[in-house]
Amino acid sequence: MAKNQLFTIVLFFLFSIQTLTVSSQSPDDEMYRESCTSIMAGCKATDDGSVITAHTCDAYYRTWLRFVPAQKFERDTTHKVYWGTMHTHTAWSMDKVELKGEIPEAKSTFAYLNTAYPCINEKQLAIGETTISGRKELINTKGLFVIEELQRIALQRCTTARDAIRLIGNLIKEYGYADAGECITIADKKEVWQLEIFGEGTDKIGGVWAAQRIPDDHVGISANISRIGEIDTKNPDYFMYSENVFEVAKKMGFWDGEKPFKFWEAYGGVTKPFNIREFFVFNTLAPGLNLKYDSAELPFSVKPEKPVNIRQIIELYRTTYDGTEWELIKDLKVATKTKDKDGNEVIDTIVSPAAHPWMAVEKRDLLNSLKKDATVFYRPVSVQFCAYSWVAQLRADLPDEIGGRLFFSFDVPRLSPRFPIYCGNLGFPASFDVCGQDHFSRESALWAFRQTNRLAMVNWKIGKETVEPEVLKEEEKLFGEIDFIEKQAAELLKTDRENAANGKETQLARQYLTSYTNTYTRSVTDKWWELGDELWVKLRWKF
């Protein structure tokens, strides 16, 4: 048997054996070391004046979400700080949570959306996240705060990105930062900042950080690598930083005090501050810059050639580099019979319908052992180990209840539809109360999407033709009706405010938005359960 024939047979065998559960990679594996992507856009970089930040939660974190209401505290009290909240099964389970300490409570707090990494509050303050790790010798686990708790407290207490950065900096200085390196992308109705945080070293409970503002007419990205370079200490409108930022770098031997100081170079522990995702997004939006993937450094942010819209950002989150030199499966080809324009039978070579962009490490290793570089891994934006993702749009020209909205999805961003969540929402369907990470459950919304999306990978030709048109159909439906929904909500909000002026409290607008979100999410969740049933039939001979 010819060597390439053997390779083709093995290829089909490999991709016929699929699993419906989460991939077997451990957190130490190649893909898991690059978890989460945040794309940002300033108000003059978008076609409607909105500010954008985003987040993919690319790891084994909880998938339940719920709104936490605003609160007032009449007496001095304390606020509890926890570790482990990202691995709870429900909103009320505390078995994996550890109380680490307490800080003084604020007199009042804002309502916020509690996801694994808390993400948006009722005042249109939104926070994306990507882990940037950095140098191990900076980590000091004796500090009080991990990143998700800092995000939560900032959302409870702040209305602007700058206030959030100042608050987080003060909390780190007083109580200490205990996490690995993290970047959080903080946006409000006017601007968006990239804040990068590290510990201060094993001998000091504190932290070191720098924040850089994305210019209003630029787009930025954080994708698991520290990217802030030189800090302009004379430009507070674009740079904020901890008072020890230079001192710690010199003390730890990360900077000699002579050459130009670059934050990413001192603290990031990497040879260059970008990888494929940063390059691909910038090159897509600003191709005229002729950026090079083999460059030593990319710009911190870029001005897009044309103003971007929210759907373009959503599309970027579906990226798996199809049709480019970085496509994962471009060389996994098989011969197939087809007909030419005259009806004659010919042999064509195509990418195997069993190959898909989300192969597990073990499958790629086996393929590459049979043929060197059969598939070369470039980490896509859209990954199969995504718990959930969202893109936040913040709009200063609208009331907060309506102006702030998330486009949220569970599981693989390329294969799952998005649904709208507003700052004014009050709650979700019951299926959003249950995490789906540790067991299959029809009570968890996650599994409607995860089961269907995994089935689509059994035979990618069939799966792609079945699922992707439905994703786009739902997007067309959503953006075809959402302006009308918001106009209706705005009218109801006027009524609410008139009622409030007359001493009668109503929540007509918020109830309307909540009803819309919940109706929409139930509809797409039911549709994905049905698509899964359809795929079981279509693929019955493909396992």
Side-chain angles (χ1 to χ4, degrees), residues 182-317:
E182 288 280 356
C183 172
I184 52 177
T185 58
I186 310 178
D188 58 35
K189 293 174 283 189
K190 296 182 179 180
E191 57 190 30
V192 57
W193 290 70
Q194 189 161 319
L195 169 60
E196 297 180 357
I197 311 169
F198 298 95
E200 197 169 336
T202 55
D203 64 340
K204 182 68 180 293
I205 299 175
V208 62
W209 57 271
Q212 185 170 348
R213 178 182 164 192
I214 306 296
D216 290 346
D217 58 350
H218 276 218
V219 171
I221 179 173
S222 178
N224 309 124
I225 295 178
S226 175
R227 302 206 66 250
I228 295 176
E230 294 187 35
I231 298 172
D232 186 348
T233 59
K234 296 180 180 179
N235 190 357
D237 200 36
Y238 278 87
F239 292 90
M240 300 169 70
Y241 50 92
S242 58
E243 60 190 19
N244 61 352
V245 68
F246 305 110
E247 171 195 339
V248 172
K250 289 178 70 174
K251 175 185 172 184
M252 301 288 287
F254 304 151
W255 177 55
D256 61 10
E258 299 295 329
K259 67 178 182 179
F261 176 86
K262 292 186 177 181
F263 187 83
W264 69 262
E265 193 171 49
Y267 294 107
V270 293
T271 56
K272 64 178 183 178
F274 75 93
N275 214 312
I276 183 65
R277 282 173 285 164
E278 297 93 336
F279 169 78
F280 184 86
V281 168
F282 282 171
N283 199 47
T284 298
L285 297 178
L289 294 178
N290 295 314
L291 300 174
K292 305 299 182 185
Y293 186 42
D294 57 0
S295 301
E297 190 169 359
L298 290 180
F300 175 71
S301 60
V302 300
K303 182 177 180 178
E305 292 192 357
K306 297 179 180 178
V308 299
N309 61 54
I310 188 66
R311 295 183 68 173
Q312 284 177 285
I313 302 298
I314 290 172
E315 174 64 25
L316 284 172
Y317 275 96

Side-chain angles (χ1 to χ4, degrees), residues 118-132:
C119 61
I120 195 169
N121 73 10
E122 62 178 309
K123 297 298 182 179
Q124 297 198 63
L125 178 68
I127 306 179
E129 179 275 345
T130 74
T131 300
I132 55 177

